[in-house]
């Protein structure tokens, strides 16, 4: 294309581009983004060897996991949060999956790692990583949610952003061997009713799991989204316990002991139990209830385009199955609208929903309400408190509210 014809093309593109960008109001001036020659249009870029492991664009550098420094005394035994407001679809990129460690990230050499099965079995076994690769494997997408996700919100609106209120969750495709096959190889004795999973990190993390669940859908996984587990997610191997609270998905898995009763270890007595108003505690509350949150707009993702077409979107999930329906309200629950579900609907996996509207600039009170495949409906926070009180930090699946003002700014509030 000659210089003359190129300039003519750009002038035409400027008008067409302005018409699309302006929506219902035609722009009056040419858009420099179209009319100006940008640096990347003039020079050769890097070659194929420059980035042997691909990374996001530098313009996406703000999309990262973030910590809340005052939540824990030390970042070694702490948590960071998935930036839900920056994501779409249902799969969480590996580098953005939230982290929760009890003794920091264990850097495990797979050549020196073993998995042992002992206890009430016909034959105690030890597997190398290469041994695991010789079992039939499966690929399944599951969400993993920390039991303390939204835990700060029991006492009212606390953290301003869905990354911090709901970001202790991620959803990836796991590759691994069904735990059932490993247990069958060892031969579980008739009296073997429980399984103790133990991690190899310095915290000695252990959890008791009913044998019924272990034989149902649990996996021993070594891949996430097609590549090896990240160190912070349990490399080289972790337990996958679909639909159940995240601390049971023991990372850096090193031992599985079969027993006839639960072990009542620290992480299932003093921690990960739900303290009620009367001083008693709910125990063995493994299953994650149906829950949803609007990710856009939200405090970290305000409306910046003014009045007109607005896409409201979010995610929903349930530890009991799928999410066939999510309702959205823009007026704090006076009227509800059925959202549009988009993408695959898989058991115990994230689901994506959308609700499109024409925003007139009026303030909004945004909420979403998930219904799972068992018929369970996500409760209001007040309904939840009437049953559980406010002492617990775990299993808060109450409906979240964002208040959006006329400028499009969003804030965490509570109205029910």
């Amino acid at each position: 294309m000659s210089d003359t014809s190129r300039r003519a093309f750009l002038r035409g593109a400027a008008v067409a581009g302005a018409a699309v960008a302006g929506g219902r109001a035609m722009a009056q001036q040419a858009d420099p983004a179209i009319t100006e020659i940008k640096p990347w249009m003039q020079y050769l870029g890097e070659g194929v060897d420059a980035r042997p492991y691909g990374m996001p664009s530098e313009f996406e550098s703000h999309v990262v996991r973030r910590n809340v420094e005052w939540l824990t005394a030390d970042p070694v035994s702490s948590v960071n949060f998935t930036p839900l407001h920056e994501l779409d679809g249902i799969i969480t990129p590996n580098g953005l999956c939230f982290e929760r460690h009890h003794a920091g990230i264990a850097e495990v050499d797979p050549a020196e790692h073993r998995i042992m099965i002992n206890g009430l079995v016909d034959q105690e076994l030890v597997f190398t990583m290469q041994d695991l690769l010789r079992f039939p494997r499966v690929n399944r997408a599951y969400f993993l949610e920390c039991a303390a996700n939204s835990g700060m919100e029991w006492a009212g609106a606390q953290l301003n952003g869905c990354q911090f209120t709901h970001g202790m969750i991620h959803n990836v495709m796991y590759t691994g061997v069904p735990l059932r096959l490993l247990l069958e190889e060892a031969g579980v004795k008739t009296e073997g009713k429980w399984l103790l999973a133990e991690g190899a990190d310095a915290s000695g993390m252990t959890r008791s799991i009913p044998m019924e669940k272990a034989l149902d859908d649990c996996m021993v996984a070594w891949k996430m989204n097609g590549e090896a587990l990240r160190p912070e997610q349990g490399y080289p191997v972790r337990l996958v316990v679909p639909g159940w609270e995240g601390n049971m998905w023991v990372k850096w898995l090193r031992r599985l002991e079969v027993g006839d009763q639960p072990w009542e270890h620290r992480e299932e007595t003093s921690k990960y139990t739900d303290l009620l108003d009367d001083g008693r505690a709910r125990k063995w509350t493994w299953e994650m209830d149906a829950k949803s949150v609007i990710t856009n707009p939200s405090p970290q993702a305000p409306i910046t385009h003014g009045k007109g077409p607005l896409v409201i979107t979010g995610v929903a999930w349930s530890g009991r199955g799928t999410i066939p329906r999510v309702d959205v309200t823009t007026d704090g629950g006076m009227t509800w609208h059925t959202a549009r579900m988009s993408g695959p609907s898989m058991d115990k996996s994230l689901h994506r929903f959308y609700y499109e509207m024409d925003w007139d600039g009026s303030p909004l009170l945004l909420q979403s309400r998930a219904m799972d495949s068992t018929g369970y409906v996500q409760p209001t926070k007040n309904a939840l408190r009437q049953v559980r009180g406010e002492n617990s930090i775990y299993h808060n699946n109450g409906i979240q509210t964002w208040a959006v003002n006329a400028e499009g700014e969003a804030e965490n509030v509570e109205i029910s």
Side-chain angles (χ1 to χ4, degrees):
M1 182 181 293
S2 68
D3 287 348
T4 302
S5 60
R6 182 181 178 85
R7 283 195 293 272
F9 167 77
L10 290 174
R11 281 197 297 274
V15 173
V20 172
R24 294 165 186 166
M26 293 289 291
Q28 299 300 310
Q29 296 181 335
D31 184 353
I34 299 174
T35 59
E36 293 182 356
I37 305 299
K38 303 298 180 185
W40 54 84
M41 302 169 73
Q42 304 177 61
Y43 307 107
L44 297 177
E46 293 178 329
V48 295
D49 293 330
R51 308 179 191 188
Y53 192 96
M55 300 295 289
S57 163
E58 62 180 295
F59 301 104
E60 300 295 320
S61 61
H62 60 288
V63 183
V64 293
R65 298 177 288 218
R66 296 185 188 279
N67 183 17
V68 176
E69 293 184 0
W70 53 265
L71 270 183
T72 56
D74 188 293
V76 172
S77 178
S78 189
V79 61
N80 59 23
F81 300 86
T82 302
L84 294 176
H85 61 291
E86 296 284 0
L87 304 179
D88 217 318
I90 64 168
I91 295 297
T92 311
N94 289 345
L96 296 177
C97 292
F98 84 96
E99 303 171 59
R100 172 71 174 104
H101 316 306
H102 294 78
I105 300 171
E107 298 285 356
V108 177
D109 180 350
E112 298 184 21
H113 188 68
R114 303 289 184 269
I115 298 176
M116 180 170 67
I117 298 180
N118 68 325
L120 298 176
V121 292
D122 297 332
Q123 182 181 12
E124 296 187 338
L125 297 174
V126 174
F127 301 100
T128 66
M129 290 303 300
Q130 289 302 312
D131 291 335
L132 292 182
L133 298 181
R134 300 174 68 184
F135 280 87
R137 69 192 71 169
V138 295
N139 294 282
R140 292 171 183 156
Y142 292 120
F143 76 83
L144 187 166
E145 182 183 19
C146 177
N149 200 20
S150 310
M152 290 299 296
E153 306 296 307
W154 275 107
Q158 301 287 321
L159 298 170
N160 218 25
C162 68
Q163 180 171 15
F164 307 115
T165 57
H166 291 73
M168 282 195 278
I169 189 169
H170 52 69
N171 195 69
V172 308
M173 178 72 75
Y174 293 98
T175 303
V177 56
L179 177 56
R180 171 180 54 82
L181 297 183
L182 300 182
L183 294 173
E184 287 176 354
E185 190 79 3
V188 176
K189 293 182 181 297
T190 305
E191 60 269 35
K193 303 298 182 185
W194 287 82
L195 191 69
L196 182 77
E198 179 183 278
D201 64 320
S203 74
M205 180 71 181
T206 52
R207 283 304 309 257
S208 302
I209 300 170
M211 186 59 68
E212 183 179 10
K213 177 67 173 177
L215 296 175
D216 179 18
D217 56 2
C218 290
M219 297 169 59
V220 173
W222 53 82
K223 301 273 191 186
M224 55 190 294
N225 292 335
E227 66 175 6
L229 295 175
R230 295 290 174 88
E232 66 268 27
Q233 302 300 335
Y235 179 87
V237 65
R238 78 174 306 163
L239 193 62
V240 171
V241 190
W244 288 23
E245 58 188 30
N247 63 84
M248 306 183 77
W249 299 46
V250 173
K251 297 188 287 190
W252 312 290
L253 182 67
R254 69 180 295 269
R255 190 168 69 91
L256 295 162
E257 181 177 349
V258 177
D260 58 359
Q261 57 186 333
W263 278 258
E264 308 280 4
H265 281 183
R266 179 188 63 187
E267 306 295 348
E268 47 204 25
T269 51
S270 68
K271 300 291 189 299
Y272 299 111
T273 54
D274 307 337
L275 184 60
L276 303 175
D277 265 353
D278 61 4
R280 294 180 302 152
R282 293 201 317 157
K283 189 178 175 186
W284 308 135
T285 51
W286 309 296
E287 207 166 47
M288 303 307 294
D289 294 316
K291 189 171 176 178
S292 68
V293 64
I294 291 173
T295 55
N296 300 80
S298 62
Q300 296 165 286
I303 303 171
T304 57
H305 53 59
K307 300 177 183 178
L310 170 65
V311 176
I312 298 172
T313 185
V315 287
W317 60 96
S318 171
R320 298 190 183 90
T322 60
I323 300 288
R325 176 175 167 177
V326 174
D327 288 342
V328 169
T329 178
T330 62
D331 56 15
M334 289 189 288
T335 53
W336 290 90
H337 312 275
T338 301
R340 178 171 58 87
M341 309 302 295
S342 179
S345 174
M346 294 178 282
D347 187 53
K348 305 178 182 70
S349 176
L350 279 192
H351 293 64
R352 171 65 61 174
F353 66 87
Y354 298 95
Y355 175 68
E356 293 89 6
M357 63 175 288
D358 197 15
W359 185 47
D360 63 4
S362 300
L364 305 171
L365 286 173
L366 298 178
Q367 298 177 327
S368 61
R369 182 178 63 190
M371 284 156 262
D372 73 15
S373 50
T374 71
Y376 176 91
V377 180
Q378 183 181 1
T380 65
K381 291 183 179 179
N382 277 346
L384 205 57
R385 291 192 187 100
Q386 288 174 8
V387 177
R388 307 255 195 88
E390 298 181 18
N391 291 331
S392 178
I393 62 171
Y394 302 118
H395 295 280
N396 181 351
N397 69 318
I399 291 174
Q400 173 66 44
T401 308
W402 307 125
V404 179
N405 64 21
E407 285 70 46
E409 300 164 332
E411 184 179 2
N412 182 6
V413 301
E414 188 167 320
I415 58 174
S416 64

